[in-house]
Amino acid sequence: MTPEPFRCHGVPAAPGALRRLRHDLMAWVRSAGVEEDRAGDIVLASYEALANVADHAYADGEPGVVDVDAAAHPGRLEVVITDHGRWRTPVPDTRPVSLRGRGLLLLRASADRAEITPGEHGTVVTLSWDLDPVPEAG
């Protein structure tokens, strides 16, 4: 059974609200019949995109929000994360060992497809995963 699409708009781009959103998204992904390991990958990549919004989309001190839409389609699951801030080109961290600057790499490695579309009114990150078809009971 395919769940209704997940829609959560106007969520503050702040750590506490994003953690709650991550848990809600995990519950929705699991309700779509995605096995636990794959669901973890989906939520990890989605949360990384959300963390990027909190870190980069809004200027220092500027309050911002994020919208999340997810839908299960036959054989595919898609998560779309939209901010309403401004794209800032990532600045490479030249230190030999750095924990920064790996977010976009993680998104692209964790999703089957990752599209990042900066625009005048915000950035849209579209992540999708191919899913094994669920056998029909019969």
Side-chain angles (χ1 to χ4, degrees), residues 26 29-31 33-44:
M26 175 61 96
V29 170
R30 294 290 287 142
S31 78
V34 177
E35 59 93 13
E36 191 171 344
D37 286 345
R38 186 72 157 161
D41 292 344
I42 291 167
V43 174
L44 174 66

Side-chain angles (χ1 to χ4, degrees), residues 86-111:
R86 280 185 242 133
W87 175 262
R88 287 184 259 196
T89 302
V91 177
D93 190 337
T94 57
R95 294 176 289 183
V97 177
S98 173
L99 299 176
R100 308 277 309 155
R102 307 255 192 285
L104 297 180
L105 291 173
L106 178 65
L107 293 180
R108 290 187 171 109
S110 299

Side-chain angles (χ1 to χ4, degrees), residues 58-121:
Y58 300 101
D60 294 333
E62 179 185 344
V65 296
V66 63
D67 302 332
V68 177
D69 294 281
H73 306 281
R76 183 174 58 89
L77 190 137
E78 182 176 85
V79 177
V80 179
I81 295 147
T82 305
D83 70 53
H84 306 280
R86 280 185 242 133
W87 175 262
R88 287 184 259 196
T89 302
V91 177
D93 190 337
T94 57
R95 294 176 289 183
V97 177
S98 173
L99 299 176
R100 308 277 309 155
R102 307 255 192 285
L104 297 180
L105 291 173
L106 178 65
L107 293 180
R108 290 187 171 109
S110 299
D112 292 326
R113 282 168 300 288
E115 182 179 321
I116 301 161
T117 310
E120 188 176 319
H121 300 289

